[in-house]
């Protein structure tokens, strides 16, 4: 359609005795201004007006429709109106175009008909190969999306990430790439300790169904999070549970952890079935953490530095003023989210020898 409109404009200009090789045709930001818009009249007006000599006043009046009062008169809007009058003479050959209008200082806006859009959608639905291309032919691309964390509820943000990620995966795959779908999940960390802290107050409800158990675990996480924020003693206990989760040193905590991880992951799978998504890779923070920690230790003094109280940090502001210092290993020797991301990046490219990695996530994650 864009090419048709461009040719329509070129022919109209040719009929007016104007040559224009490059027509800029764009989608307006505001749909009220049409489906396509061009500023061609504003671009060619200075060249056109300079082609008239002071003695060409009659010629100029004739060209602009007799609206000129002096040799200095005329503007891009008048030129746009003349172009539109010429365009409308050929509009009957293009039933897809409903209306052509002049706007502002000389923009020409094209409005497409409802029938055009109906027919376009019909064509897309009937042609299974519509839009197929070779943009990413023979490329290996991994798309990471959804990323819900065990021991926490699956919420609307995860649904948004899944919808966008699955759509982008299909588009890239349709463009010739070999796609790998990845799901990165936080199965260790403070959020797990917060849930286990509350679960430990009762017996594991093994008689409940997977959805009921998953709901219970989510409620425990919410209560544990409140306790962590409001109760110093609870915070101290949750931090201790977090350490024991990492080193697997407590039998009861291990039992609750293994049960809660299995239940929430099974509940997530039920959701994926409804959404029509399946993954090639499931990456977990528990596996990525030691890989990232090894990378940090190997690059100490090269990239990372010892910070206050023994923490290992990266002074990002040295490289980009928009960033700031990040802790990668805490003073207690615990790997942070940043460290796990290092392990994840390394693992992804080793798994598939990727040409491109795409991550669907929230703006809050940009600095990570």
């Amino acid at each position: 359609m864009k090419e048709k409109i461009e040719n329509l404009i070129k022919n109209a200009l040719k009929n007016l005795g104007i040559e224009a090789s490059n027509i800029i045709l764009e989608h307006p930001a505001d749909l009220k201004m049409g489906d396509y818009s061009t500023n061609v009249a504003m671009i060619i007006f200075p060249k056109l007006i300079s082609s008239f000599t002071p003695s060409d006043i009659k010629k100029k009046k004739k060209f602009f429709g007799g609206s000129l009062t002096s040799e200095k008169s005329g503007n891009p809007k008048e030129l746009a109106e003349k172009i539109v009058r010429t365009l409308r003479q050929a509009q009957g050959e293009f039933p897809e175009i409903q209306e052509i209008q002049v706007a502002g200082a000389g923009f020409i806006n094209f409005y497409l008909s409802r029938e055009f859009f109906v027919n376009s959608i019909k064509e897309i639905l009937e042609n299974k190969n519509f839009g197929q291309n070779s943009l990413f032919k023979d490329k290996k691309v991994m798309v990471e999306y959804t990323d819900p964390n065990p021991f926490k509820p699956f919420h609307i943000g995860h649904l948004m990430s899944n919808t966008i990620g699955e759509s982008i995966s299909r588009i890239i795959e349709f463009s010739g790439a070999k796609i790998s779908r990845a799901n990165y999940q936080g199965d260790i960390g403070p959020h797990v300790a917060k849930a286990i802290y509350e679960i430990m107050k009762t017996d594991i409800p093994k008689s409940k169904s997977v959805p009921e158990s998953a709901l219970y675990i989510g409620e425990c996480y919410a209560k544990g999070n409140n306790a962590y924020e409001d109760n110093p003693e609870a915070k101290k206990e949750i931090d201790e549970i977090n350490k024991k989760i990492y080193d697997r040193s407590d039998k009861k905590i291990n039992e609750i952890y293994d049960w809660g991880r299995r239940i929430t992951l099974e509940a997530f799978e039920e959701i994926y079935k409804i959404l029509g998504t399946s993954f090639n890779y499931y990456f977990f923070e528990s596996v990525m953490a030691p890989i990232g920690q090894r990378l940090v230790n190997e690059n100490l003094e090269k990239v990372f530095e010892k910070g206050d109280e023994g923490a290992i940090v990266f002074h990002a502001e040295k490289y980009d003023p928009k960033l700031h210092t990040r802790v990668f290993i805490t003073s207690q020797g615990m790997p942070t989210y940043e460290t796990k991301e290092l392990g994840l990046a390394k693992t992804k490219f080793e798994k598939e020898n990727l040409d491109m990695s795409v991550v669907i996530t929230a703006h809050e994650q940009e600095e990570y």
Side-chain angles (χ1 to χ4, degrees):
M1 193 63 234
K2 183 179 180 183
E3 188 177 340
K4 284 185 178 181
I5 296 175
E6 287 174 351
N7 289 332
L8 181 64
I9 295 169
K10 287 178 182 179
N11 289 335
L13 293 174
K14 190 174 181 180
N15 290 336
L16 292 172
I18 302 171
E19 289 293 333
S21 57
N22 186 27
I23 305 294
I24 299 173
L25 196 63
E26 298 177 324
H27 295 293
D30 186 351
L31 290 178
K32 293 178 182 177
M33 304 307 292
D35 298 293
Y36 285 101
S37 182
T38 181
N39 64 348
V40 65
M42 302 163 75
I43 295 296
I44 65 177
F45 178 77
K47 296 178 182 177
L48 177 65
I49 211 72
S50 64
S51 69
F52 291 110
T53 64
S55 61
D56 285 337
I57 184 64
K58 290 183 179 180
K59 187 177 177 182
K60 286 170 69 178
K61 282 185 177 182
K62 183 179 179 182
F63 186 88
F64 285 103
S67 61
L68 300 181
T69 56
S70 73
E71 67 273 8
K72 295 182 179 180
S73 298
N75 56 56
K77 187 172 184 178
E78 287 181 319
L79 176 58
E81 288 169 348
K82 187 171 184 66
I83 294 171
V84 167
R85 286 194 295 271
T86 307
L87 287 168
R88 285 174 179 161
Q89 292 173 9
Q91 188 178 342
E93 301 172 23
F94 298 88
E96 304 97 331
I97 301 174
Q98 180 175 307
E99 183 57 84
I100 308 171
Q101 295 180 357
V102 175
F107 289 97
I108 301 174
N109 298 334
F110 296 82
Y111 297 81
L112 301 180
S113 68
R114 181 182 294 271
E115 288 74 16
F116 166 77
F117 292 107
V118 170
N119 291 333
S120 295
I121 293 171
K122 185 178 179 182
E123 181 184 355
I124 292 167
L125 293 174
E126 291 178 350
N127 183 359
K128 292 182 179 180
N129 296 321
F130 185 90
Q132 192 167 24
N133 61 84
S134 58
L135 184 64
F136 295 107
K137 185 180 179 182
D138 300 326
K139 299 292 185 181
K140 290 184 177 180
V141 181
M142 183 177 289
V143 183
E144 176 205 319
Y145 57 100
T146 310
D147 298 356
N149 293 327
F151 292 89
K152 290 177 72 175
F154 190 107
H155 56 68
I156 191 69
H158 299 125
L159 179 62
M160 181 185 75
S161 174
N162 182 275
T163 304
I164 296 171
E166 184 60 32
S167 298
I168 288 177
S169 296
R170 295 182 187 189
I171 290 169
I172 296 175
E173 193 169 36
F174 213 51
S175 300
K178 179 192 174 186
I179 281 285
S180 298
R181 291 167 169 82
N183 193 339
Y184 178 47
Q185 298 168 98
D187 61 337
I188 51 173
H191 69 281
V192 179
K194 291 170 184 177
I196 291 178
Y197 168 79
E198 285 294 329
I199 295 172
M200 288 177 71
K201 295 179 180 180
T202 60
D203 293 328
I204 297 175
K206 295 182 179 180
S207 61
K208 291 185 176 182
S209 66
V210 168
E212 289 173 329
S213 296
L215 182 61
Y216 162 77
I217 293 168
E219 291 170 347
C220 286
Y221 161 73
K223 291 178 182 177
N225 187 62
N226 290 337
Y228 191 85
E229 298 292 333
D230 302 332
N231 185 339
E233 286 301 315
K235 182 179 184 300
K236 185 178 179 181
E237 190 174 340
I238 290 169
D239 286 338
E240 188 61 32
I241 291 171
N242 191 35
K243 292 179 185 178
K244 290 177 179 178
I245 292 170
Y246 271 93
D247 57 32
R248 302 281 294 181
S249 60
D250 186 292
K251 185 177 179 180
K252 184 178 181 181
I253 290 174
N254 290 348
E255 181 185 2
I256 295 172
Y257 173 83
D258 292 341
W259 171 80
R261 185 179 185 275
R262 176 179 62 80
I263 288 293
T264 44
L265 289 177
E266 285 182 12
F268 294 161
E269 286 300 322
E270 292 301 313
I271 297 173
Y272 302 146
K273 288 178 185 177
I274 296 170
L275 297 175
T277 296
S278 60
F279 295 97
N280 302 98
Y281 293 101
Y282 291 90
F283 297 116
F284 293 98
E285 287 189 19
S286 59
V287 180
M288 299 303 111
I291 298 171
Q293 194 160 3
R294 186 168 63 250
L295 284 170
V296 171
N297 290 330
E298 289 173 354
N299 289 279
L300 189 59
E301 307 305 332
K302 299 176 189 175
V303 178
F304 304 96
E305 301 175 31
K306 283 277 187 179
D308 296 337
E309 301 177 2
I312 298 178
V313 302
F314 174 62
H315 293 293
E317 67 278 4
K318 290 182 180 180
Y319 305 90
D320 187 339
K322 295 178 183 178
L323 302 178
H324 56 269
T325 296
R326 290 278 189 177
V327 175
F328 276 73
I329 308 293
T330 68
S331 56
Q332 292 78 34
M334 304 290 287
T336 61
Y337 189 89
E338 290 87 336
T339 300
K340 298 164 190 172
E341 283 287 328
L342 284 182
L344 176 65
K346 178 177 172 64
T347 303
K348 281 181 177 180
F349 281 84
E350 287 177 344
K351 287 285 185 185
E352 289 285 351
N353 190 24
L354 299 173
D355 294 290
M356 182 166 66
S357 173
V358 180
V359 180
I360 313 301
T361 188
H363 287 298
E364 292 83 357
Q365 303 290 82
E366 280 181 335
E367 290 188 355
Y368 293 107

